[in-house]
Amino acid sequence: MTDEQQIRDLIERWAAAVHDGDLATVLADHAPDLVVFDVPPPARGVRGIADYRAIWPGFFEWQASGAVFEIESLDVTAGAYVAFAVALLRCGVPSDLERDPDHRLRLTVGLTKVEGRWVVAHEHHSSADATGAPEASEAEVRAVHERWSDRTAAKDLDGLVEHIAPDVVSYEHAGPLRYLGIDAVREVCRRGLEASPGRIDFDVPDLTVRAHGDLAVAWGLDRVVVDGVETRSRGTRVFQRRDGDWRMVHQHLSVPAQDR
C-alpha cells in the first residue's frame, strides 16, 4: 500500500469514527503533542492528546441529533517522512444542509511518519464566514422596511407579517404592556389597516440600521399618513437572521409623554 493510500485510509477511518461517536478510533493515529486549530475557541488551538480528547464528547452529542459528518473530497500529498491532506466535508443536520447545500467544513491535516507509521501532528478545521459585510446586512434590513411601506399602502396583511418572527415581542402604542407572538401582532396590524377605508402610508425617513452577524437593530421616527393626516412616533426594531431571512424579534413604539 502506498503512503498516500495509507493516509487516505487513516483519514477516512477517522471521519467515520467521528460520525459514529467512536472516541477510541478518533484518537488513534494522533501524536501525543498534536496541535489542532478548531472552529470554536480557543484561538491558540487545542494542544496535546488530552485536550483533543476533551473536545469530542460535546460534538458527539450534537452528532447524535442526526447530523452528518462525511468526506466529500480528499487530496493527499506525501513525502518520505512528512505529508499533508486537504479535504471538504459535509457537516451539519439535514435542515442546515437543505438551507445551505453548498456549506462545507474545511480540513487540513499534517502528518509525520514515526517508526514507519503515519500519525497526525496537526489538524485545522474551519468553515467559511458566511455572515457577509455589515453594509449588506444593513441594506437587507432597510429592504424589509421598504417592503413594509409598500405592503401598508397595498393593505396586504400577509405581506406585512412576512418578516415578523413567530416569537416576536412588541411594545405597541396602546393596549397591553406587550404583545407576545406573531398572532397578537398580526391582529394589531389588521386593526391598523382597517382604520381607514382609504390609503395608509408608512415610512421611516430617518431610518438608522446597525448590523453585525445575524443581529440587527433599526430605529427612527415612524411616519404614518391616514386620510391625509400625518402622525409621528418613535420606533425601535430588533432583527435576527433566521434561515437566511431577517425576522423582527422585538419592536418598541412610543410617543413622548405630554407635560402635565
Side-chain angles (χ1 to χ4, degrees):
M1 185 182 296
T2 65
D3 288 322
E4 287 82 359
Q5 189 59 54
Q6 292 178 44
I7 292 168
R8 181 176 293 274
D9 288 352
L10 183 158
I11 294 173
E12 290 176 345
R13 186 166 58 248
W14 169 85
V18 170
H19 181 76
D20 295 338
D22 178 359
L23 182 58
T25 304
V26 168
L27 299 177
D29 303 311
H30 283 71
D33 58 348
L34 88 158
V35 176
V36 178
F37 295 158
D38 204 356
V39 174
R44 67 183 295 273
V46 174
R47 296 172 184 266
I49 196 70
D51 288 344
Y52 185 64
R53 177 192 299 270
I55 71 175
W56 289 108
F59 187 88
F60 289 159
E61 289 182 11
W62 172 77
Q63 185 75 34
S65 69
V68 299
F69 190 89
E70 59 187 24
I71 295 174
E72 180 180 82
S73 65
L74 174 60
D75 296 298
V76 178
T77 301
Y81 296 99
V82 175
F84 75 92
V86 294
L88 295 176
L89 297 93
R90 296 180 69 248
C91 178
V93 296
S95 59
D96 291 337
L97 296 174
E98 181 178 355
R99 183 176 66 252
D100 185 5
D102 293 329
H103 175 76
R104 296 294 182 269
L105 178 69
R106 304 178 296 192
L107 173 67
T108 299
V109 181
L111 306 99
T112 59
K113 185 178 282 188
V114 179
E115 297 180 352
R117 170 174 164 262
W118 288 105
V119 296
V120 176
H122 176 57
E123 289 179 20
H124 190 159
H125 312 179
S126 76
S127 294
D129 184 358
T131 56
E135 295 81 5
S137 296
E138 291 171 10
E140 290 168 356
V141 173
R142 288 183 179 277
V144 172
H145 283 78
E146 291 169 3
R147 176 166 175 76
W148 281 337
S149 296
D150 176 67
R151 293 301 86 199
T152 298
K155 293 193 172 182
D156 176 4
L157 181 58
D158 290 336
L160 274 179
V161 301
E162 181 181 355
H163 289 280
I164 298 177
D167 54 346
V168 64
V169 177
S170 185
Y171 299 162
E172 299 283 343
H173 293 110
L177 283 174
R178 60 182 181 176
Y179 289 83
L180 300 178
I182 192 170
D183 290 341
V185 175
R186 180 187 178 92
E187 177 61 18
V188 174
C189 293
R190 183 192 66 78
R191 293 198 302 265
L193 293 179
E194 295 177 356
S196 169
R199 180 183 174 93
I200 301 175
D201 290 302
F202 161 82
D203 66 350
V204 188
D206 63 340
L207 181 66
T208 298
V209 181
R210 296 290 183 267
H212 181 74
D214 290 334
L215 290 175
V217 60
W219 65 91
L221 298 180
D222 294 355
R223 178 172 61 186
V224 179
V225 181
V226 179
D227 296 332
V229 178
E230 178 181 304
T231 60
R232 292 289 190 102
S233 65
R234 304 173 297 190
T236 302
R237 298 173 177 92
V238 180
F239 296 83
Q240 184 177 42
R241 196 195 327 254
R242 297 181 178 178
D243 297 331
D245 293 322
W246 290 101
R247 297 282 187 267
M248 186 180 76
V249 296
H250 177 56
Q251 174 177 243
H252 189 157
L253 306 176
S254 75
V255 293
Q258 300 299 316
D259 293 335
R260 294 182 180 179

